[in-house]
Amino acid sequence: MGIALAGDNVATGGLVRRTLDLLYLGAGYAAGVFLVAIFAIMMIMSVGRQFAINIPAGDDFASWCMAAMAFLGLAHTFKRGEMIRVGLLLERLHGRTKQAAEIVALGIATAFILYFTRHALQMMYDSWRFNDVAQGVVALPLWIPQLGFAGGLVILSVALIDEMVSVIGGNRPSYEKGSPDETPDEFIERISQGGGG
């Protein structure tokens, strides 16, 4: 009976891990789609001038895509270790002290992002509740472009909580790329080959 329950917990944990990883990856792909959309809008607007082709509110659509791209890409970038981190103190620590410092740093980051996420969701909800529309040529309900911004922050909040739970459980942070015993020369070599910090 105990073995069956342990097996169920492992299977559930594996399912949750795969689901979260797919969520981060999906958000990263969505950010890529918005990047391509920005490129397409800007090219059509630039080349279209030569042929009297115009996208109504093209600048607005490009800026909304840019916000969605930036925020939807955050969780994937964080989990892959590609987000810029200032680890001057953490890089000098080792063992349990480093783990405790990582937990504190993740806790502070999570608190800030949850605060930011709450206000982003409130802003999106208020836009929906009051039927706010864009002031440009296309009167698009503002909650629609705010979905990418608020959704990206929600996914980043999940990623930070996920990472904090993992580090509390004694695992190495997923955003750390180098080995704990990496020498400064190995670090420079890895960075020069595009391995991230």
Side-chain angles (χ1 to χ4, degrees):
M1 179 77 175
I3 295 172
L5 286 175
D8 288 344
N9 287 340
V10 169
T12 304
L15 177 63
V16 170
R17 174 80 272 137
R18 284 192 304 276
T19 302
L20 288 173
D21 289 343
L22 279 174
L23 175 66
Y24 309 141
L25 184 62
Y29 278 124
V33 168
F34 280 108
L35 179 62
V36 171
I38 294 166
F39 171 76
I41 291 168
M42 298 309 290
M43 291 307 295
I44 291 169
M45 288 176 63
S46 297
V47 175
R49 287 188 190 124
Q50 311 302 318
F51 305 100
I53 297 171
N54 187 26
I55 298 176
D59 292 337
D60 291 340
F61 284 109
S63 62
W64 294 329
C65 287
M66 194 173 302
M69 177 202 67
F71 284 91
L72 285 170
L74 288 174
H76 184 257
T77 304
F78 169 71
K79 291 297 278 185
R80 300 255 318 164
E82 301 296 335
M83 193 173 279
I84 296 172
R85 295 183 321 120
V86 180
L88 296 175
L89 173 63
L90 293 176
E91 290 170 1
R92 299 187 190 290
L93 301 175
H94 300 287
R96 302 287 291 168
T97 307
K98 182 172 183 172
Q99 182 188 16
E102 289 280 2
I103 292 167
V104 169
L106 286 166
I108 292 169
T110 303
F112 275 107
I113 294 300
L114 284 172
Y115 178 79
F116 195 17
T117 301
R118 182 212 176 276
H119 287 285
L121 289 170
Q122 184 66 51
M123 181 180 69
M124 187 181 75
Y125 174 68
D126 287 344
S127 293
W128 173 77
R129 188 168 51 128
F130 297 123
N131 295 317
D132 285 343
V133 294
Q135 299 298 313
V137 177
V138 178
L140 184 73
L142 277 179
W143 67 268
I144 295 173
Q146 290 169 351
L147 274 172
F149 162 64
L153 285 171
V154 168
I155 296 169
L156 179 61
S157 298
V158 170
L160 282 162
I161 293 167
D162 173 27
E163 195 65 36
M164 189 163 57
V165 168
S166 176
V167 173
I168 288 170
N171 298 315
R172 191 164 168 241
S174 64
Y175 50 77
E176 270 189 9
K177 290 208 167 186
S179 68
D181 302 323
E182 185 177 49
T183 67
D185 291 336
E186 291 170 335
F187 174 76
I188 291 170
E189 179 66 26
R190 181 169 50 80
I191 293 298
S192 68
Q193 294 176 359

